[in-house]
Structures are given as structure tokens and as C-alpha cells.
Amino acid sequence: MPIPSRHRGFLHPIPSEITPRAVYEERRALLRLMAAGAAGATLAAWAGREALAQAQQRPGRLAALPGAASAVAGAVTMEKHTSYQDASTYNNFYEFGTDKADPARNAHTLKPDPWSVEVEGLVKKPGKYAIEDLLRLSAQEERIYRLRCVEGWSMVIPWVGYSLAELIRRVEPLGSAKYVEFVTLADKARMPGVGSRVLDWPYVEGLRLDEALHPLALLAFGMYGEVLPNQNGAPVRLVVPWKYGFKSAKSIVKIRFTEKEPLTAWHKAAPREYGFYSNVNPQVDHPRWSQATERRIGEDGLFAKKRKTLMFNGYEAQVGQLYAGMDLRKFF
Ligand code: MTE
């Protein structure tokens, strides 16, 4: 694949052309075989399978992290969960490569322990939180959220964490704080993708303070009752279920409170394509494709029907008020 220009946006640009996973993985395996040539082929295929198998070994490999059932409105859906296998091997985490299978293959180098998160900017109580302290800051809950990617696919994942609001209240934002910026790790030594020019590293995301305070915005430490696998953003990530998946920053190292709207990594890379708000909105097309439907990972078959994408990803009753009176075509 040619090195992508940082202005071309996501590397799987036309959702209607996104290949079902099984077909796509088979094709990848085939390409690997072809690229490696006869002698290297077996080795390459073996190495790929070995790394994936290592990433998927469970249970027991990752520590248990159970959460009490959440009482937050909208935090649980009865929809079928995506399999752990799919959720942990079909990922976007460009610091480990742009292929969906790259994070599971490469993220074993991440080292999520020791880890700390720096809270800074417009707050009364700035400080550095060791991950152990952050984990204990509030009771862990299980939240079963749909997460929809801007590329046109979605998953249903049982996350474990607590509302980001719990942390925000403890650090006491000043009256002048209007936004929260999330900066994630960018370490060339641990993250092979950080050497590429796909994005201007580090990966940065942001929320308006009232969005960040919404109880559905989750600071997640685990999924499926275990601590997060590296490829899903260990040891701490955001999950903002009413926004396209790229707002859910992985492997956070800094949380900064600001007066100005943060410049996010994807907006910087392609401002016409990725706005600050990035609310899931079937009525606002991405400039290069429709956002009206989505494919649920795990319902792959070649002729699987697409689902209609719901306003705010189905969380309109809970979050619609945050955007009352805003022109969502302008603030996309
Ligand atoms: N966070 C970082 N640091 N780097 C990334 O490339 N990708 C985003 C988001 N968070 C990304 C990131 C995108 S595009 C998506 S869809 C989700 O992570 C995917 O999360 P998942 O792999 O757990 O499904």
C-alpha cells in the first residue's frame, strides 16, 4: 500500500467498499503469501497467526475487571454483543499500523504499566494520576455501548469504567474551562505507526466540557470483564458512544482543560472531512460517502443487510439536548 497522504483521511475510505471481515482476512493472508514468495510465505503466515493467537489468549491472560451494572440512562443495550475475538482483532489504532489487524499484531509492545495521566490546564487541582489511583477513583461499572466508526461499521461492546464526569468533578474545572482535550501516547519506541506520516502525532481528541460531563461519556479501563487489551487502548481510553469512534481516544496520557476548542488530530489532517463535533448523524454525509447505514461487525456474510444508522447513534434521548439550537451541518 502506498504511504498515504495525511490529507486523504481514513485509509478505508468508501464504506460501501469495505470488505466483509472474513473475506478481507483471507485476502490479506493471500497477499502476505504472494508478497513473501514461496520460501518466506509459510514463515510470514505463521508469524501473523502466532501474533494474533498471542493477542487473543484468554481468559486468564488479562486481569479480571468486573463492573457493577450501570444505572446511567442509556448505558445498557439488549443488542447482541460483538464477539471478543472481533472486538480485539478488528481495530483502529494507527499508532500500531493502519490495517485493521495491525493493532492486535503489534500492540504487545505498548507496556501499559507503569502509566500515569497528567491532568492540567484550567482546573483548581491539576496533577499526575498513577493508573492504579485512577482505577480506584470511582466504582467500576459495566456499560454496553454501540460504537460506530466513521468508516461505516459498528460493534456492541461491554466496557468497564466510570463516567469521565467523576474525574472532572474531582479536579474542579475553573469557570473559564470550556473544553477538554485528550492527548494520547506517541512513543516511537513502543508504537511502530508513530514513525509514519498518516497523522500528526500525538493523536489528540476533544470534547466540549458539557459533553465531557455527560454521564454516558465513559473513561474505560476494561472490556468483557477484563482489563483492556493493548489494541483497544490500554490502560485507559475514552468511549463516547454518540460520536464516531475516532473521538474515543485510546491510551490517554494527558487531559487538559482549555478555553479554546482543541485542534483534534483528524481535523488537522482533513478539516473538511472531520469536524470537531463528529456526532453520529445519518443526515450529514461524510464528504466522500453517506453515513445513512452501517454494517455490524460479526453479521458479515456477503449478503448481510446493512442497518440504518440512528441519530446520535441511538442516544438521542440522552444527549440531544446538548446540541439544541445548533446547526449540525455547520457543526459536523
Ligand atoms: N486512539 C488513538 N490513540 N489512535 C487511533 O488511531 N482510532 C480511533 C479510536 N481511538 C484511534 C484512537 C478510531 S478511528 C476508532 S473507530 C476507535 O478508536 C476504535 O476503537 P476499538 O478498536 O476499540 O474498536
Side-chain angles (χ1 to χ4, degrees), residues 10 90-95 147 149 153 159 184 203 231-232 237 245-246 248-250:
F10 277 87
Y90 190 86
N91 303 105
N92 276 333
F93 199 168
Y94 278 15
E95 288 85 336
L147 195 62
C149 184
W153 48 267
W159 300 100
T184 75
Y203 193 98
Q231 60 269 33
N232 290 87
R237 68 173 289 171
F246 64 91
S248 295
K250 292 175 167 180

Side-chain angles (χ1 to χ4, degrees), residues 180-182 199-200 202-207 246-247 261-271 274-278:
V180 190
E181 181 180 82
F182 304 88
L199 286 171
D200 191 1
Y203 193 98
V204 171
E205 259 309 336
L207 294 171
F246 64 91
K247 291 300 260 187
E261 186 180 283
L263 185 53
T264 69
W266 276 108
H267 184 71
K268 217 169 170 184
Y274 308 108
F276 176 78
Y277 281 90
S278 312

Side-chain angles (χ1 to χ4, degrees), residues 79-94:
E79 288 173 85
K80 186 169 172 261
H81 298 181
T82 302
S83 71
Y84 180 92
Q85 168 88 3
D86 279 336
S88 60
T89 57
Y90 190 86
N91 303 105
N92 276 333
F93 199 168
Y94 278 15

Side-chain angles (χ1 to χ4, degrees), residues 154-298:
S154 60
M155 298 196 198
V156 175
I157 297 180
W159 300 100
V160 186
Y162 51 75
S163 294
L164 172 65
E166 299 286 341
L167 171 65
I168 296 181
R169 291 206 183 94
R170 278 175 175 74
V171 300
E172 298 181 31
L174 302 177
S176 50
K178 298 283 181 293
Y179 296 91
V180 190
E181 181 180 82
F182 304 88
V183 182
T184 75
L185 184 73
D187 179 354
K188 269 190 189 166
R190 290 190 260 176
M191 302 171 131
V194 171
S196 85
R197 296 188 56 240
V198 187
L199 286 171
D200 191 1
W201 312 104
Y203 193 98
V204 171
E205 259 309 336
L207 294 171
R208 221 169 52 191
L209 183 59
D210 58 338
E211 296 178 317
L213 282 168
H214 192 283
L216 282 174
L218 183 72
L219 202 56
F221 302 86
M223 61 184 219
Y224 300 85
E226 294 177 3
V227 302
L228 284 173
N230 290 354
Q231 60 269 33
N232 290 87
V236 56
R237 68 173 289 171
L238 208 56
V239 189
V240 192
W242 69 95
K243 294 183 179 270
Y244 292 114
F246 64 91
K247 291 300 260 187
S248 295
K250 292 175 167 180
S251 305
I252 296 168
V253 290
K254 207 172 270 184
I255 300 180
R256 187 184 290 139
F257 291 76
T258 65
E259 191 160 7
K260 266 183 58 190
E261 186 180 283
L263 185 53
T264 69
W266 276 108
H267 184 71
K268 217 169 170 184
R272 258 180 27 83
E273 302 191 10
Y274 308 108
F276 176 78
Y277 281 90
S278 312
N279 288 316
V280 174
N281 188 341
Q283 290 143 32
V284 177
D285 292 344
H286 181 280
R288 289 184 286 139
W289 59 75
S290 157
Q291 292 290 13
T293 61
E294 67 200 57
R295 192 169 59 82
R296 180 65 49 85
I297 298 295

